[in-house]
Structures are given as structure tokens and as C-alpha cells.
Amino acid sequence: MNRDLNDIRAMIASSCRREERHLRELSLSIHREPELAFQERRASGLIADYLEQRGWHVERGWLGLETALRASVGEGRHIALCAEYDALPEIGHGCGHHLIAAMSIGAAIALGELASELGVRVSLFGTPAEEHGGGKIALLDRGAWDDVDVTGLVHPWAAPYDRSAEYVMMSAVARWSVEFRGRSSHAAASPEEGVNASDAATIASVAFGLLRQQTGPDVRFNANVVSVGTESNIIPDRSHMTVEARSVSGVQLSALQSRLRACLEGAAIATGCSLAVEDAEVPYRELRQDPILAQFWDAELSHLGRDVRAEQHPGGSTDMGDVSHTVRTLHAYLAIPGDVVVSHTADFAQHSASEVALETMILGAQVLASTFAADALHHRTLQAGQS
């Protein structure tokens, strides 16, 4: 029996309602005890237990990553939904990964109940270390998405309207650890003998500030001086900076990195310091949103009466960007209604555990499942037309 999309929507909504209480409990449990990148042992264990209790086959420690997992049901065209569950240092779940996890799990369960009907295999990928460390990139390199046809997740944000998925932009990012090395000396007795590493960090910071006026709106960069000398009578021989660069274009990012590197090299030359630059983290590629999945997502939101606006904003960065260069990918945003609360803050961490956030989470699971169901039906129609 081939049901139409309206029937499937109703079945998905019913599934999400049945799971609602359990998904809320799971999400809040993850939220209460935040864990950092690659340390999400409790969160990944809770998710694995949750799916095993519902009859899913779960692979823990998947592909050699202790806090990664895969759970699958069905056979056929492969849909992989991604759960994220790492938190931010000191802030906790200021990015709402506990909501992302529950939305993907709820959507996977709803789609799993329709796997035979849709002719699909449904997987839940537990993907650690999105905030720092690139867990998805490690999994991608180990073949996690080799047999996947479509993949995705939905990210919460706090705003009075929804952003069209077609306009979501996520930047490529590169992060550096920078060290200037000079020579220490007494700042009063023999300053001429010193080579001031603090000066090098200062010059580099000023150069970055001047560079900002000559860069376009699609790039972002930031630098922090992490450590330098602490005593005024000692010329410091070392200073340490962290630098990050972002762009919605990999080509633009490469050009920006060259200019930032020139600022650092100029500071080293001006002060006589040596310079060492190393990658601080694995770089992330920019997101390539699949236009068909994005259109289905927007259509499902609109079907439920949500306010979807075609506004383009440069976003942050995600290791889902690397996946999107290999597999058709949806990385959508869903608004927690009400006032704007900026993510990656303690305020958002608190807001993301509110009643309205949990209600939005259940809606997100429903819309995510309906989106991939619509894509599966679309694929089946295309296949029938070709036969």
C-alpha cells in the first residue's frame, strides 16, 4: 500500500507524540550533565540504550571512536540522521546539542516505522565532537557515509521566525596556534638585549584590526592573545595567540589565511622574533546545502503554518560541512519562538531547556522526518518515471 504524503505526515506526527515524554526526558538528561568533545560517554550511552530498548541494532564505539554510535533499521535507500551531543567549555549546552540529538532520534524512530513503506534504511549516527575536534570528519574519513544517500539534522536557534533552509550558510573555518619567540632581558638595566615577544603579539593584533576594513562581508576572523609576560620589568621571550578564520567560500578562506599569515610574519620581522604557526584543530569545510532537501524542509514548515523567511545570514561553522561535500545534506535551522537569545552563551543554555524549547524540539523531529519522507517519495516517483 503506497500512502500519500499527507497520510505519512499524520503517521509521523503520531509517532512523535508517542515518543514525546521519553524524548524530553532524554534531552534534559543530556542537558543536565554536559560533556565536552570526545568525552560524551554518558550522552552516547543514553542514546544507545534508548534505541536498543526500541529494538534497534546499535553499534557502540562505532568505527573506533569511543563516543560515536550507529543504529539502523530497514533496508533500501539509506537515510542517515545525525545526533550531536557535545557541549561547550564552561557554558554547557549553549548550542542546543541536546535538542539536536532528540530531534534526530525522534525523526529516526518515526521514519523507521515507515522504512518498509518508503523502501529505506534509516540510521541514527551518533556524532561526537562537533564544537571542537571534528567528529564527523573522523567518521567520514573512516567510511561512515560511504553507503549513505541522504543525511541531515536540524539546529535550534532562538528567534521569532524560521530561516529558510535554502538560505542557511555555514562557513569553512581554520584555527591556528601561534607562538612568537624572542629573548628575555631586564626591561630597565638592559632593554637593548631583549627581543620582545609581547610586542610581536601587539603588532599582529593591530595588523589584524587594520586588515578588517579591507575584507568583504563573507569572511570573519578573530585572534586572542592567550599568554605573554606578566612582569613589567622583564621583557618577555614568548607570547602565544590563537587565530581563527572563516568564509562561506573555501577559495576566499585560503586567500584570507594568506593575508593573516602575512600579518604574523610582519610582526615577527618587525620585532626580530621567530614565528611558529600550527593548526589548532582540524579545519571544517563550508556547507553545501542540498537544494531539494532544503525545499522540502521549507515546505514542511510552511505546511504547519510556520513563518519561514528567505533571509541570508553568514552562520558559524560545522563539521557537517565536510559531509555535505560528499553526500546530499540538509542542515536546517528551527526557531525556538520568542525573543532572540544568542547561541553559544549561558543564556541560550538555560533557554534551550525551557518548555518552549522542548515543544519546538518535538516539532523539529516531526518536520525532519516529514522532510526525508517527502524526499523518499520524490525519489520513488523519479525511479518510476525512469522505468
Side-chain angles (χ1 to χ4, degrees):
M1 176 180 174
N2 290 330
R3 295 180 175 86
D4 65 16
L5 182 56
N6 283 327
D7 290 337
I8 287 173
R9 285 169 173 156
M11 296 176 70
I12 287 171
S14 177
S15 174
C16 290
R17 285 194 297 270
R18 287 196 307 272
E19 289 293 323
E20 179 171 358
R21 179 174 65 85
H22 305 293
L23 289 171
R24 282 170 170 255
E25 292 172 355
L26 175 66
S27 180
L28 289 175
S29 183
I30 294 171
H31 181 274
R32 281 193 296 269
E33 298 187 32
E35 298 165 299
L36 302 182
F38 294 118
Q39 299 175 30
E40 317 94 325
R41 296 175 184 87
R42 181 175 176 274
S44 61
L46 287 172
I47 293 168
D49 291 344
Y50 190 101
L51 291 167
E52 284 178 342
Q53 290 165 8
R54 284 152 181 80
W56 288 54
H57 172 67
V58 179
E59 299 169 71
R60 302 174 188 241
W62 182 42
L63 295 176
L65 292 185
E66 180 186 1
T67 56
L69 65 96
R70 179 175 67 178
S72 301
V73 296
E75 296 181 0
R77 188 166 173 270
H78 195 178
I79 301 169
L81 302 180
C82 297
E84 297 174 352
Y85 33 80
D86 60 317
L88 292 159
E90 300 181 5
I91 293 173
H93 281 287
C95 202
H97 286 191
H98 61 297
L99 300 176
I100 293 174
M103 285 189 281
S104 288
I105 293 164
I109 289 171
L111 286 171
E113 293 171 358
L114 292 163
S116 178
E117 172 81 18
L118 295 172
V120 296
R121 175 187 178 193
V122 182
S123 290
L124 188 287
F125 285 3
T127 58
E130 189 275 340
E131 294 293 352
H132 296 283
K136 292 186 192 67
I137 297 171
L139 291 170
L140 183 68
D141 291 343
R142 299 177 193 195
W145 277 267
D146 284 358
D147 65 345
V148 173
D149 296 286
V150 285
T151 190
L153 57 78
V154 53
H155 199 296
W157 69 312
Y161 62 88
D162 287 307
R163 186 185 305 168
S164 166
E166 292 190 72
Y167 288 82
V168 168
M169 302 165 62
M170 302 295 285
S171 298
V173 63
R175 295 183 173 98
W176 298 337
S177 175
V178 176
E179 185 177 64
F180 291 104
R181 292 191 180 187
R183 184 170 60 249
S184 181
S185 82
H186 195 290
S190 53
E192 70 280 2
E193 298 297 327
V195 177
N196 197 321
S198 177
D199 287 352
T202 299
I203 292 171
S205 298
V206 172
F208 290 156
L210 294 174
L211 177 60
R212 291 182 193 279
Q213 67 179 319
Q214 294 174 329
T215 55
D218 292 338
V219 301
R220 298 283 189 273
F221 57 94
N222 188 48
N224 288 313
V225 178
V226 177
S227 64
V228 73
T230 58
E231 302 298 332
S232 62
N233 65 341
I234 300 174
I235 291 176
D237 62 352
R238 291 192 183 187
S239 60
H240 178 211
M241 302 180 71
T242 58
V243 181
E244 71 170 40
R246 302 178 193 252
S247 175
V248 295
S249 161
V251 174
Q252 284 185 336
L253 179 62
S254 179
L256 176 63
Q257 287 179 275
S258 295
R259 299 186 74 179
L260 294 174
R261 179 67 183 246
C263 292
L264 296 169
E265 291 172 347
I269 292 170
T271 57
C273 289
S274 64
L275 171 67
V277 180
E278 297 180 351
D279 287 336
E281 293 191 36
V282 60
Y284 292 2
R285 301 179 75 177
E286 72 276 12
L287 178 71
R288 290 181 177 176
Q289 190 87 276
D290 182 81
I292 296 174
L293 290 171
Q295 289 167 18
F296 283 134
W297 169 265
D298 289 352
E300 292 304 309
L301 282 180
S302 297
H303 177 75
L304 295 176
R306 301 277 292 193
D307 180 8
V308 183
R309 301 187 188 181
E311 293 185 3
Q312 196 164 59
H313 302 276
S317 304
T318 174
D319 54 3
M320 200 69 171
D322 290 72
V323 175
S324 74
H325 285 250
T326 302
V327 183
R328 290 180 58 215
T329 297
L330 174 74
H331 189 289
Y333 273 76
L334 184 67
I336 302 171
D339 296 334
V340 174
V341 181
V342 178
S343 64
H344 280 222
T345 63
D347 286 342
F348 189 87
Q350 180 178 359
H351 185 59
S352 66
S354 65
E355 176 62 24
V356 66
L358 296 173
E359 291 174 356
T360 301
M361 176 188 77
I362 300 304
L363 177 72
Q366 179 181 335
V367 177
L368 187 61
S370 295
T371 296
F372 280 91
D375 184 71
L377 293 175
H378 175 67
H379 176 77
R380 187 164 68 191
T381 299
L382 292 177
Q383 292 293 103
Q386 294 171 2
S387 61

